[in-house]
C-alpha cells in the first residue's frame, strides 16, 4: 500500500521506494500470489503508439481470465483468457517496449508482458514496484503451467514438501507427542534452523498468529509453527526465482538445477550427478534427498553457500603468466611498513610487518638509523620513542617473507646509519636471510628484469649503489629516496643541492636489481637508464607526469619499475588513489596499510586476484613493445573489446547498524551504491533507492548497466549506506576486480570499515557481462540497437611519419575492417535472435534455445522443426506450415548460423593477415 508521501520527512531529495506489499505479509507460496491477483491492483498498460493508460487489473475468482477496467470495450472484451496465454516475460522485452518513446523512463524491473494468441500478441504492463511485477509474473506463470494439468490449485500450501519436512522437525522436538509445544521451545527451534533471525522477531510473529486466531494460550501447534517458519524464513525474491527456474513448481529437480547452473550461473560441464550431489548436500528434508528435489529452504542455503560466491574460484589460484619481466606486474606495496598509526606521531611497531606480510604485501619499507650498542634500529624518524631492533625486524621478515606468497619480496631500505652500523646491517641480513638474498649482478646482455617465477623465494634489496667504475670501500652518494627531501625539492623547484650520504661497499653490493636513481625526464631515462635501475616518485610528481605525459609514462613503465609514495602532506597517513597510478602502469604504489577506507578497499580488492600472490599482470596494451595507450582515452581502447556490465541489486541480508549510530535507535534506511573504478572513461557510480526501516531483508530490485572500455583495469565497489539527514553512514562494502566476477545470481559477503568479513551480512545480486554491439557510445537500449555499417567505428591507424613503416601498416586497414564487420554482424545476429525470443540482451544462447524449443512444439507436443547438420552446422528445417511469428524466429536463427559460419571459416585468415603486418612492421 503506497504510503502518503506527505508523512515522509520533509526536505529530502533522495528517492525512496515504498513497498506496495500489504502490511508485512510476505509472499511465500503460489497461493499468496493468486490471492493478491484476485484482490487486484493498478497497472499501467503500454501501447505501441507511445500512450500509457492506468487500468485496474484483477484475476477472476475461478482463475480462468484476467480482466481490466475502465475500458471502452464491453466487459466480455476487456479480458484475456488464461488458456490463450503463451508466455509471460519480465522486463522490457517486446516490440512495444522497444519502440515506445517513453520506454526509457520505465524501470526494467517493473515491466512485464503477457504474450497471447496464435500470433503472439503482447499485453504490455508496468507495475508500481518490482515486487508487484514479480507477483503477477509468478502467479500467471503458475496458472499457465497448471492449466495444462487438471486444476486443483488451492491444494493449499499444507501438503508441500516443505510442510512435510517442517512437520517432522516439529514432531522430533515434541517429546510428549501432544502436538503442542511451549513458545520458548518453538522460538529455540526456529532460531536453530535459521541462526540469523532475531529472537524478538520470532516472538512477535507467534504473538501475531495467536492474536489473529484470538487464542489465549501461548502453546504453539504444529500448523502455527509451520506458518511462523514460512513467514519468517521465506525470502520472497528467492521464492520468485525458484518458481521461475522450476517451471512453476515449488521445488527444483536435478534437471531444473542443471539448466539453472548452465544457463544462468555460467557453469560449464554440468552433469546430473553434480546436481544430485548439490541436492543431497543442501536439501533439508529426507524426502527431498531421497526423491532428488530441492525446496525453498535448501535452495536458499545453496545460494548463500561458498559455491555461489561472487568471486570466481579460478582466481583464487595463480592463473596469470608469471614468466614475464618484473616490470610487467602490479606489485602489492606498503608505505612506512613499521607504522600502525599515523606517520607523524606513530611509534614503530613490529606488527606493521606481520600484518603486511600476511596480506601478501611484496614491497615493504625499512628506515634504519644508528642505535645504541652498535645495533641499528628501525624507527619513525618523527618519533624516536620505542624503536625496533633492526635484527628483530629482519627475523620476523625472514619468518613471514613467503608465508602468503612465494614470489619475490622487495625490501626498500632507507639508510640513515653511519658506515660502522651499515656493516652491522649487512651482517644481520646475510646471516638471517642466507641464500634467500638475491645479490647476483644484473646481465647487461638482457634488456628486461627477470620474472617473478625466476625470482621465487628471493628477497631483493632496493637502495643506493656506489659507482661501479670506482673500486672504493666507501663513498658519498646522493639520497634520492629520502621522501622528505624529494617533497622539499619538488616544492622548492629543484634549487637545492641533493643531500649526500656515506655508503659502504658491503651495503652497496647487496643491491642488484633495484638500484635507486633520480628521475630527470623521460628523454634522459629512455636513453641512459638501465633496466635494473628504478625511480621513486612523490604523489604530486607522479600526478603531474600522469596528466602531462600519460603515453610516455606507460611506455617508460614497460621496462622500468616505478615506485609512487603518498604525499608528505598526508600527516594523518591517509591514502592516495592507487588506480590513478595503476592506470599509467606504475607497479609499486605504496599504501598506508594502517589506514582503512575506500582507497585501501581498492588496493585490497585488486590484489585478491591471481591467487592473492601480490603480483598482478598488467593488461597487454601496457606490455606489448609496439602498443599505444593513454589512460585518458575517452572511449574504446584500441585492441580491447569493450563490455557492458549488467548488475541487478536484488536484496540485502542482516545489515548491522552503522558503528557509532546512536541517534536513530534500531532502524536503518539502507541503500546501495555501485562504484566503478578504472580508467577515467569508465569511472562512474550509481545508487539504488532507499528502503525505509528494513535491515533484515530489504528488497531493492533495481537494474544498472555500465559501459566498460578497459575491463582488465576495472574494479567494482559495492557500498551499503544508511540514508540519514546528518550524513549517510557506512554499513559495509565489497570490492572486486571485474575479471573475478562470476555471472548469475550471487551473494556478496560484505566487509566492515576495517576490512573484516561480517558474518551473515550479504547483498544478493544478479550479474551479467555482455559485449557491446557496434562499439561507440552507449545506445539508449544498450544491446538491442543494431549498428549499420555506416555508423560503425573501425580501428584507425596512426601515422608514424616514417614512410616505410606507414606503408606496411596500411596493408592492415582492410583486414581490420573485415574483422570488425564479421564481429559486429555476428553480434547483431545474436541480438536479433534474443529479441525475437523475447529475452533481454543479457540472456545466454542456452536460454534462447530453451525458449525456442518450448515454442516450436505444436499443441499436441509434436515438434514443428527438425535439427539437421549440414557440413557440421546445426540448421533447423520446418515441418509443414508455420505461423509468421515462428517463421521470423527461424529466419533469425538461420542468419545467426550463417554469420557464425562466415566467422569460423574466415577468422583465421583475416587474423593472419593482421599478424603479418604487425610482424613486418
Amino acid at each position: 500500500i503506497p504510503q502518503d508521501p506527505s508523512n515522509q520527512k520533509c526536505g529530502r531529495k533522495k528517492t525512496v521506494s515504498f513497498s506496495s506489499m500489504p502490511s508485512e505479509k510476505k509472499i511465500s507460496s503460489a497461493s499468496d500470489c493468486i490471492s493478491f491477483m484476485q484482490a487486484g491492483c493498478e497497472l499501467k498498460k503500454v501501447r505501441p503508439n507511445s500512450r500509457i493508460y492506468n487500468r485496474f487489473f484483477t484475476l477472476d475468482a475461478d482463475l480462468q481470465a484476467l480482466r481490466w477496467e475502465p475500458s471502452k470495450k464491453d466487459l466480455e472484451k476487456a479480458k484475456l483468457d488464461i488458456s490463450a496465454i503463451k508466455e509471460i516475460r519480465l522486463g522490457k522485452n517486446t516490440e512495444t517496449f522497444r519502440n515506445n518513446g517513453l520506454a526509457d523512463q520505465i524501470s526494467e524491473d517493473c515491466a512485464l508482458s503477457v504474450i497471447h494468441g496464435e500470433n503472439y500478441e503482447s499485453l504490455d504492463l508496468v507495475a508500481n514496484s518490482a515486487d508487484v511485477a514479480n507477483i503477477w509474473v509468478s502467479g500467471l506463470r503458475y496458472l499457465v503451467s497448471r492449466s495444462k494439468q487438471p486444476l486443483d490449485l488451492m491444494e493449499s500450501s499444507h501438503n508441500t514438501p516443505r510442510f512435510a519436512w517442517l512437520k517432522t522437525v516439529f514432531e522430533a522436538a515434541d517429546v510428549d507427542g501432544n502436538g503442542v509445544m511451549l513458545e520458548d521451545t518453538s522460538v529455540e527451534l526456529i532460531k536453530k534452523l535459521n541462526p540469523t533471525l532475531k529472537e524478538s522477531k520470532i516472538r512477535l510473529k507467534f504473538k501475531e498468529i495467536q492474536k489473529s486466531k484470538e487464542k489465549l494460550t501461548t502453546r504453539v501447534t504444529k500448523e502455527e509453527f509451520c506458518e511462523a517458519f514460512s513467514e519468517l524464513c521465506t525470502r520472497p525474491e528467492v521464492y520468485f526465482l525458484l518458481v521461475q527456474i522450476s517451471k512453476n513448481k515449488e521445488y527444483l529437480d536435478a534437471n531444473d538445477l542443471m539448466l539453472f547452473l548452465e544457463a544462468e550461473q555460467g557453469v560449464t560441464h554440468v552433469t546430473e550427478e553434480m546436481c544430485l550431489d548439490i541436492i543431497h548436500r543442501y536439501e533439508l528434508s529426507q524426502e527431498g534427498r531421497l526423491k532428488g528435489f530441492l525446496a525453498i529452504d535448501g535452495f536458499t542455503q545453496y545460494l548463500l553457500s561458498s559455491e555461489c560466491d561472487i568471486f570466481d574460484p579460478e582466481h583464487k589460484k595463480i592463473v596469470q603468466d608469471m614468466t614475464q619481466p618484473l616490470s610487467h606486474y602490479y606489485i602489492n606495496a606498503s608505505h612506512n611498513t613499521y607504522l600502525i598509526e599515523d606517520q607523524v606521531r606513530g611509534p614503530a611497531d613490529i606488527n606493521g610487518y606481520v600484518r603486511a606480510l600476511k596480506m601478501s604485501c611484496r614491497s615493504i619499507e625499512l628506515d634504519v638509523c644508528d642505535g645504541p650498542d652498535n645495533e641499528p634500529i628501525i624507527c619513525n624518524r618523527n618519533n624516536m620513542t620505542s624503536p625496533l631492533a633492526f635484527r628483530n625486524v629482519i627475523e620476523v621478515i625472514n619468518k613471514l617473507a613467503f608465508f602468503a606468497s612465494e614470489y619475490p619480496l622487495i625490501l626498500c631500505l632507507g639508510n640513515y646509519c653511519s658506515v660502522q652500523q651499515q656493516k652491522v646491517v649487512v651482517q644481520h641480513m646475510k646471516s638471517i636471510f642466507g641464500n634467500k638474498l638475491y645479490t647476483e649482478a644484473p646481465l647487461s646482455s638482457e634488456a628486461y628484469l627477470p620474472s617473478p617465477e625466476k625470482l621465487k623465494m628471493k628477497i631483493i634489496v632496493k637502495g643506493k649503489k656506489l659507482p661501479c667504475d670506482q673500486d672504493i670501500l666507501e663513498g658519498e652518494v646522493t639520497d634520492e629516496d629520502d621522501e622528505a627531501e624529494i617533497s622539499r625539492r619538488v616544492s622548492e623547484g629543484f634549487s637545492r643541492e641533493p643531500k649526500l650520504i656515506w655508503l659502504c661497499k658491503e651495503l652497496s653490493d647487496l643491491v642488484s636489481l633495484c638500484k635507486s636513481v633520480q628521475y630527470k625526464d623521460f628523454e634522459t631515462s629512455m636513453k641512459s637508464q638501465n633496466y635494473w635501475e628504478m625511480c621513486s616518485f612523490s604523489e604530486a610528481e607522479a600526478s603531474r607526469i600522469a596528466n602531462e605525459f600519460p603515453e610516455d609514462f606507460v611506455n617508460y613503465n614497460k621496462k622500468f619499475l616505478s615506485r609512487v609514495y603518498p604525499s608528505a602532506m598526508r600527516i594523518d597517513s591517509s591514502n592516495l588513489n592507487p588506480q590513478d597510478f595503476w592506470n599509467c602502469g606504475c607497479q609499486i604504489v605504496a599504501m598506508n596499510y594502517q589506514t582503512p577506507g575506500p582507497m585501501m578497499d581498492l588496493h585490497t580488492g585488486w590484489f585478491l586476484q591471481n591467487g592473492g600472490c601480490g603480483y598482478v599482470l598488467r593488461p597487454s596494451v601496457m606490455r606489448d613493445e609496439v602498443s599505444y595507450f593513454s589512460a585518458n582515452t575517452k572511449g574504446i581502447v584500441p585492441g580491447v573489446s569493450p563490455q557492458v556490465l549488467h548488475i541487478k541489486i536484488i536484496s540485502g541480508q542482516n545489515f548491522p547498524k552503522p558503528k557509532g549510530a546512536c541517534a536513530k535507535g534500531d532502524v536503518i534506511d539502507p541503500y546501495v551504491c555501485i562504484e566503478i573504478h578504472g580508467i577515467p572513461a569508465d569511472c562512474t557510480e550509481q545508487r539504488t533507492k532507499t528502503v525505509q526501516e528494513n535491515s533484515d531483508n530489504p528488497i531493492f530490485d533495481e537494474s544498472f548497466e555500465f559501459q566498460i572500455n578497459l575491463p582488465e583495469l576495472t574494479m567494482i565497489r559495492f557500498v551499503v549506506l544508511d540514508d540519514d539527514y546528518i550524513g549517510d553512514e557506512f554499513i559495509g562494502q565489497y570490492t572486486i576486480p571485474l575479471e573475478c566476477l562470476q555471472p548469475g545470481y550471487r551473494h556478496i559477503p560484505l566487509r566492515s570499515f576495517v576490512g573484516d568479513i561480517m558474518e551473515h551480512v550479504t547483498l544478493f545480486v544478479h550479474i551479467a557481462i555482455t559485449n557491446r554491439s557496434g562499439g561507440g557510445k552507449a545506445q539508449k537500449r544498450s544491446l538491442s540497437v543494431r549498428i549499420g555499417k555506416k555508423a560503425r567505428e573501425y580501428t584507425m591507424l596512426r601515422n608514424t611519419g616514417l614512410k616505410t613503416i606507414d606503408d606496411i601498416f596500411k596493408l592492415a586497414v582492410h583486414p581490420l575492417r573485415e574483422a570488425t564487420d564479421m564481429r559486429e554482424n555476428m553480434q547483431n545476429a545474436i541480438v536479433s535472435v534474443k529479441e525475437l525470443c523475447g529475452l533481454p540482451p543479457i540472456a545466454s544462447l542456452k536460454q534462447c534455445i530453451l525458449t525456442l524449443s518450448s515454442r516450436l512444439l505444436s499443441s499436441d507436443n509434436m515438434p514443428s522443426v527438425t535439427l539437421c547438420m549440414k557440413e557440421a552446422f546445426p540448421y533447423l528445417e520446418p515441418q509443414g506450415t508455420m505461423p509468421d511469428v515462428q517463421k521470423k524466429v527461424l529466419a533469425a536463427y538461420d542468419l545467426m548460423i550463417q554469420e557464425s559460419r562466415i566467422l569460423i571459416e574466415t577468422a583465421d585468415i583475416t587474423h593472419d593477415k593482421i599478424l603479418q603486418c604487425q610482424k613486418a612492421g
Side-chain angles (χ1 to χ4, degrees):
I1 297 163
Q3 299 156 3
D4 178 359
S6 59
N7 302 340
Q8 291 302 313
K9 304 174 187 171
C10 313
R12 179 172 273 201
K13 284 282 188 292
K14 293 179 176 154
T15 50
V16 174
S17 78
F18 304 115
S19 167
S20 36
M21 296 294 301
S23 64
E24 278 308 290
K25 169 72 179 148
K26 283 204 301 197
I27 297 282
S28 59
S29 66
S31 44
D32 291 344
C33 294
I34 307 287
S35 320
F36 181 93
M37 288 154 55
Q38 286 172 324
C41 77
E42 192 170 89
L43 299 172
K44 293 183 174 63
K45 193 170 163 196
V46 182
R47 306 284 306 184
N49 59 7
S50 290
R51 303 289 294 279
I52 294 184
Y53 306 94
N54 280 328
R55 296 288 180 262
F56 195 83
F57 281 78
T58 47
L59 172 67
D60 277 358
D62 62 3
L63 316 180
Q64 299 299 312
L66 192 59
R67 297 181 187 273
W68 56 91
E69 55 188 41
S71 169
K72 294 196 180 70
K73 305 178 181 166
D74 63 50
L75 278 180
E76 274 317 293
K77 295 252 176 72
K79 72 164 196 175
L80 175 59
D81 289 328
I82 299 294
S83 57
I85 298 178
K86 296 285 185 196
E87 51 193 65
I88 296 100
R89 298 177 190 167
L90 185 56
K92 300 183 284 191
N93 296 312
T94 59
E95 283 301 303
T96 305
F97 276 126
R98 278 195 279 271
N99 301 332
N100 186 310
L102 300 171
D104 279 347
Q105 298 157 30
I106 295 169
S107 151
E108 182 75 30
D109 308 295
C110 298
L112 63 139
S113 303
V114 182
I115 312 296
H116 57 93
E118 287 314 307
N119 294 327
Y120 281 66
E121 292 159 62
S122 68
L123 168 63
D124 298 286
L125 306 170
V126 183
N128 282 335
S129 74
D131 231 355
V132 172
N134 274 323
I135 294 174
W136 281 96
V137 169
S138 301
L140 288 170
R141 281 179 177 164
Y142 185 83
L143 289 176
V144 170
S145 68
R146 283 290 178 271
S147 67
K148 298 189 170 112
Q149 303 157 1
L151 199 76
D152 169 24
L153 174 85
M154 295 304 177
E155 46 183 70
S156 79
S157 45
H158 288 290
N159 45 16
T160 60
R162 181 191 207 177
F163 269 79
W165 163 66
L166 283 171
K167 281 178 193 152
T168 58
V169 171
F170 183 91
E171 282 154 13
D174 174 17
V175 215
D176 316 332
N178 298 335
V180 289
M181 193 183 280
L182 288 173
E183 188 181 295
D184 288 352
T185 321
S186 310
V187 171
E188 280 305 300
L189 197 50
I190 288 183
K191 195 133 178 52
K192 201 167 115 191
L193 294 171
N194 187 345
T196 61
L197 281 177
K198 297 189 185 82
E199 185 176 325
S200 56
K201 201 171 166 180
I202 307 175
R203 290 197 183 279
L204 192 68
K205 182 53 70 184
F206 280 124
K207 297 268 179 301
E208 274 176 29
I209 291 172
Q210 284 150 9
K211 196 175 168 196
S212 69
K213 301 195 171 161
E214 298 179 351
K215 271 174 62 172
L216 297 173
T217 129
T218 58
R219 294 285 168 98
V220 176
T221 66
K222 198 182 295 183
E223 282 64 35
E224 288 163 353
F225 172 76
C226 294
E227 185 182 340
F229 180 87
S230 298
E231 290 194 18
L232 288 166
C233 301
T234 307
R235 285 175 40 191
E237 75 280 23
V238 176
Y239 173 77
F240 291 135
L241 174 62
L242 178 87
V243 170
Q244 176 196 327
I245 59 180
S246 66
K247 313 284 183 300
N248 319 304
K249 305 189 292 292
E250 297 206 338
Y251 59 86
L252 299 175
D253 55 33
N255 193 33
D256 298 325
L257 190 54
M258 197 157 150
L259 289 173
F260 171 67
L261 292 179
E262 287 182 337
E264 271 302 347
Q265 304 294 86
V267 184
T268 47
H269 313 303
V270 188
T271 62
E272 194 174 346
E273 288 72 47
M274 277 165 69
C275 296
L276 284 169
D277 175 56
I278 291 172
I279 292 170
H280 279 261
R281 283 182 294 121
Y282 290 98
E283 173 52 34
L284 297 168
S285 73
Q286 201 175 350
E287 183 194 2
R289 290 195 296 271
L290 285 173
K291 293 183 178 166
F293 61 69
L294 195 56
I296 178 83
D297 303 291
F299 183 53
T300 307
Q301 292 297 321
Y302 171 64
L303 287 176
L304 279 166
S305 75
S306 58
E307 294 180 55
C308 293
D309 194 2
I310 187 160
F311 194 92
D312 184 347
E314 273 308 296
H315 286 272
K316 292 187 175 169
K317 308 194 279 270
I318 287 163
V319 288
Q320 295 173 350
D321 173 7
M322 300 305 283
T323 61
Q324 306 253 350
L326 211 53
S327 58
H328 286 180
Y329 298 84
Y330 295 114
I331 301 172
N332 185 340
S334 129
H335 178 242
N336 290 353
T337 315
Y338 46 83
L339 292 183
I340 56 168
E341 290 171 41
D342 69 61
Q343 58 196 36
V344 174
R345 296 185 303 275
D349 190 313
I350 194 85
N351 285 315
Y353 292 98
V354 174
R355 175 180 54 199
L357 290 169
K358 285 191 169 172
M359 287 173 73
S360 62
C361 182
R362 298 288 84 198
S363 165
I364 57 178
E365 299 183 8
L366 302 100
D367 284 348
V368 193
C369 309
D370 278 359
D373 309 325
N374 203 26
E375 275 296 340
I377 55 170
I378 286 183
C379 61
N380 179 356
R381 288 182 309 130
N382 298 319
N383 173 358
M384 300 296 268
T385 58
S386 72
L388 305 170
F390 176 74
R391 188 198 166 98
N392 295 350
V393 172
I394 292 294
E395 282 174 339
V396 165
I397 292 173
N398 186 50
K399 201 164 98 193
L400 293 174
F402 303 106
F403 169 83
S405 166
E406 49 187 10
Y407 291 102
L409 175 66
I410 299 169
L411 301 188
C412 302
L413 206 56
N415 168 23
Y416 308 102
C417 293
S418 60
V419 167
Q420 192 187 353
Q421 293 210 7
Q422 288 176 31
K423 292 181 175 173
V424 182
V425 165
V426 175
Q427 281 167 4
H428 286 332
M429 285 170 84
K430 281 186 164 169
S431 69
I432 293 169
F433 291 149
N435 62 3
K436 290 179 191 157
L437 214 48
Y438 186 89
T439 51
E440 289 170 40
L443 301 170
S444 46
S445 56
E446 295 284 331
Y448 281 97
L449 287 161
S451 69
E453 187 58 44
K454 204 170 169 193
L455 295 168
K456 253 186 184 171
M457 308 300 281
K458 289 294 178 196
I459 293 175
I460 300 165
V461 180
K462 168 192 164 297
K464 292 300 299 177
K465 265 183 105 58
L466 291 169
C468 52
D469 49 359
Q470 302 167 5
D471 192 14
I472 48 176
L473 290 177
E474 54 185 67
E476 276 196 308
V477 288
T478 55
D479 183 12
E480 279 79 38
D481 276 357
D482 186 347
E483 292 175 6
E485 269 302 295
I486 301 182
S487 307
R488 217 169 290 136
R489 265 211 317 278
V490 170
S491 61
E492 295 174 18
F494 290 99
S495 56
R496 299 165 65 106
E497 280 299 297
K499 196 170 114 186
L500 295 173
I501 53 168
W502 276 94
L503 179 65
C504 73
K505 184 176 187 312
E506 291 88 335
L507 188 54
S508 170
D509 288 348
L510 286 187
V511 176
S512 67
L513 293 179
C514 292
K515 175 188 169 185
S516 301
V517 294
Q518 193 182 324
Y519 168 79
K520 188 159 172 272
D521 55 47
F522 285 132
E523 200 181 343
T524 315
S525 297
M526 295 314 247
K527 270 196 199 119
S528 57
Q529 190 173 334
N530 293 307
Y531 72 81
W532 61 84
E533 295 174 331
M534 64 179 285
C535 299
S536 284
F537 299 89
S538 70
E539 177 184 348
E541 191 180 14
S543 297
R544 177 185 63 79
I545 299 170
N547 285 325
E548 289 176 26
F549 315 106
E551 296 93 350
D552 293 341
F553 213 171
V554 171
N555 276 334
Y556 170 83
N557 284 325
K558 286 177 186 174
K559 190 167 180 178
F560 307 111
L561 288 176
S562 290
R563 170 176 167 270
V564 180
Y565 57 86
S567 154
M569 305 309 285
R570 296 180 179 273
I571 50 177
D572 56 351
S573 290
S574 57
N575 273 308
L576 46 73
N577 184 342
Q579 190 90 41
D580 296 343
F581 304 104
W582 292 336
N583 287 345
C584 301
C586 297
Q587 303 86 347
I588 301 177
V589 181
M591 300 294 284
N592 289 311
Y593 267 59
Q594 72 273 29
T595 312
M599 299 304 128
M600 200 57 206
D601 293 342
L602 290 180
H603 177 268
T604 310
W606 184 246
F607 286 104
L608 287 173
Q609 59 187 319
N610 201 24
C613 73
Y615 283 82
V616 171
L617 189 62
R618 290 190 320 213
S620 58
V621 72
M622 291 184 166
R623 306 191 310 263
D624 296 343
E625 204 136 358
V626 184
S627 66
Y628 162 85
F629 173 72
S630 155
N632 302 333
T633 167
K634 283 291 167 275
I636 289 182
V637 178
V640 177
S641 255
Q643 296 181 337
V644 184
L645 169 65
H646 308 258
I647 298 179
K648 180 173 184 176
I649 302 284
I650 305 172
S651 62
Q653 288 73 46
N654 312 308
F655 290 163
K657 265 174 59 179
K659 288 269 182 288
C662 46
K664 286 177 48 172
D666 276 340
V667 296
I668 59 171
D669 304 332
Y671 68 93
V672 183
C673 203
I674 306 168
E675 303 170 355
I676 306 291
H677 297 266
I679 59 171
D682 291 342
C683 290
T684 180
E685 66 173 57
Q686 295 206 39
R687 54 158 290 173
T688 64
K689 294 194 278 291
T690 297
V691 173
Q692 295 284 297
E693 303 192 1
N694 185 341
S695 59
D696 298 336
N697 193 28
I699 306 265
F700 300 100
D701 260 334
E702 275 185 74
S703 298
F704 303 92
E705 212 171 83
F706 301 95
Q707 311 286 342
I708 310 286
N709 293 292
L710 187 53
E712 286 175 273
L713 269 189
T714 303
M715 270 190 290
I716 299 96
R717 182 168 181 261
F718 298 90
V719 196
V720 180
L721 295 156
D722 180 14
D723 196 337
D724 195 17
Y725 279 140
I726 308 155
D728 298 343
E729 295 186 86
F730 176 90
I731 293 172
Q733 70 84 30
Y734 184 77
T735 307
I736 181 172
L738 180 73
E739 305 266 291
C740 301
L741 278 179
Q742 293 217 82
Y745 290 92
R746 306 283 168 191
H747 280 93
I748 297 175
L750 293 179
R751 291 175 178 263
S752 68
F753 186 71
V754 293
D756 301 327
I757 294 256
M758 300 185 282
E759 214 186 358
H760 304 309
V761 181
T762 49
L763 197 56
F764 186 44
V765 299
H766 181 269
I767 304 277
I769 296 173
T770 55
N771 37 21
R772 189 186 319 172
S773 211
K777 289 219 170 46
Q779 303 293 335
K780 279 280 170 59
R781 281 280 296 157
S782 77
L783 280 163
S784 43
V785 176
R786 289 179 198 72
I787 294 196
K789 287 203 175 162
K790 281 199 188 91
R792 276 185 191 167
E793 290 196 10
Y794 292 102
T795 306
M796 305 302 286
L797 297 175
R798 284 171 73 123
N799 277 344
T800 61
L802 304 169
K803 189 171 182 322
T804 6
I805 293 187
D806 288 339
D807 287 350
I808 290 174
F809 277 122
K810 271 193 191 123
L811 299 173
V813 172
H814 187 64
L816 281 169
R817 281 188 77 93
E818 281 179 356
T820 305
D821 285 338
M822 274 191 278
R823 194 181 67 223
E824 301 301 333
N825 293 345
M826 178 73 216
Q827 287 183 6
N828 288 345
I830 291 176
V831 170
S832 299
V833 171
K834 289 181 184 179
E835 288 188 353
L836 288 165
C837 287
L839 291 170
I842 61 173
S844 63
L845 281 175
K846 180 118 195 167
Q847 289 166 315
C848 293
I849 301 298
L850 285 173
T851 308
L852 258 181
S853 58
S854 64
R855 275 201 201 174
L856 295 171
L857 284 174
S858 59
S859 46
D860 47 4
N861 271 356
M862 291 302 290
S864 51
V865 297
T866 53
L867 177 73
C868 56
M869 300 301 285
K870 291 187 201 161
E871 297 165 49
F873 288 90
Y875 286 92
L876 292 175
E877 295 280 314
Q879 307 289 301
T881 53
M882 300 195 90
D884 286 351
V885 188
Q886 312 301 33
K887 278 186 194 155
K888 249 185 173 166
V889 182
L890 281 187
Y893 174 86
D894 264 0
L895 181 64
M896 179 174 75
I897 299 298
Q898 215 36 51
E899 293 294 355
S900 311
R901 188 170 183 163
I902 294 171
L903 187 64
I904 291 166
E905 288 171 356
T906 47
D908 289 344
I909 306 163
T910 309
H911 185 238
D912 285 344
K913 284 184 198 163
I914 299 170
L915 277 187
Q916 284 325 122
C917 288
Q918 196 182 7
K919 279 203 182 114

